[in-house]
């Protein structure tokens, strides 16, 4: 299990004003990481096609469809954005486990029962 000392070791030798101690710049996992992340996020939008096909079955599609589309996309965006923001703010990306970041964060904060 990772501890606070590991976090400090990653920033060893860096000035105090340097907040991001990881290597990799803007694309730390390269194009493969971007494609993998996009594919993962796509599954959150798979249910979106159900909303599009419901247009034939609702009573007032001119009103109901835009509301359903905007609401579903907003909920999905907030869920993905909120989770990624919390995970990244708890532990910088370069110290996370890329294979299972959420269970790793739970273990890191001491919530082994949730991991």
């Amino acid at each position: 299990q990772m501890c606070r000392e590991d976090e400090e070791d990653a920033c060893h030798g860096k000035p105090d004003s340097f907040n991001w101690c990881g290597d990799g710049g803007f694309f730390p996992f390269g194009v493969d990481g971007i494609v993998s992340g996009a594919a993962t996020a796509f599954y959150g939008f798979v249910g979106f096609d159900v909303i599009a096909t419901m247009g034939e079955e609702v009573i007032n599609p001119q009103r109901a469809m835009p509301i359903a589309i905007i609401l579903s996309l907003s909920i999905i965006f907030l869920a993905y954005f909120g989770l990624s923001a919390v995970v990244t703010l708890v532990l910088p990306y370069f110290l996370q486990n890329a294979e299972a970041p959420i269970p790793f964060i739970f273990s890191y904060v001491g919530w082994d029962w949730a991991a």
Side-chain angles (χ1 to χ4, degrees):
Q1 173 158 349
M2 186 175 205
C3 61
R4 302 279 180 207
E5 290 81 29
D6 295 328
E7 198 172 331
E8 292 171 3
D9 287 343
C11 298
H12 182 70
K14 303 283 184 179
D16 291 337
S17 62
F18 192 78
N19 294 329
W20 291 96
C21 303
D23 295 329
F26 190 68
F27 296 117
F29 298 108
V31 175
D32 289 339
I34 293 171
V35 172
S36 175
T40 303
F42 172 76
Y43 285 106
F45 295 93
V46 168
F48 182 72
D49 65 333
V50 174
I51 294 169
T53 58
M54 294 290 290
E56 298 175 3
E57 301 178 17
V58 296
I59 295 171
N60 186 1
Q62 287 83 11
R63 180 181 181 277
M65 292 308 296
I67 292 172
I69 290 169
I70 291 170
L71 189 61
S72 67
L73 289 176
S74 299
I75 291 170
I76 292 166
F77 169 76
L78 289 174
Y80 273 91
F81 178 78
L83 183 64
S84 64
V86 167
V87 167
T88 305
L89 290 173
V90 168
L91 193 65
Y93 74 89
F94 57 89
L95 295 176
Q96 294 180 11
N97 180 352
E99 298 298 319
I102 297 170
F104 184 75
I105 292 294
F106 285 148
S107 295
Y108 180 74
V109 297
W111 292 3
D112 293 323
W113 58 270

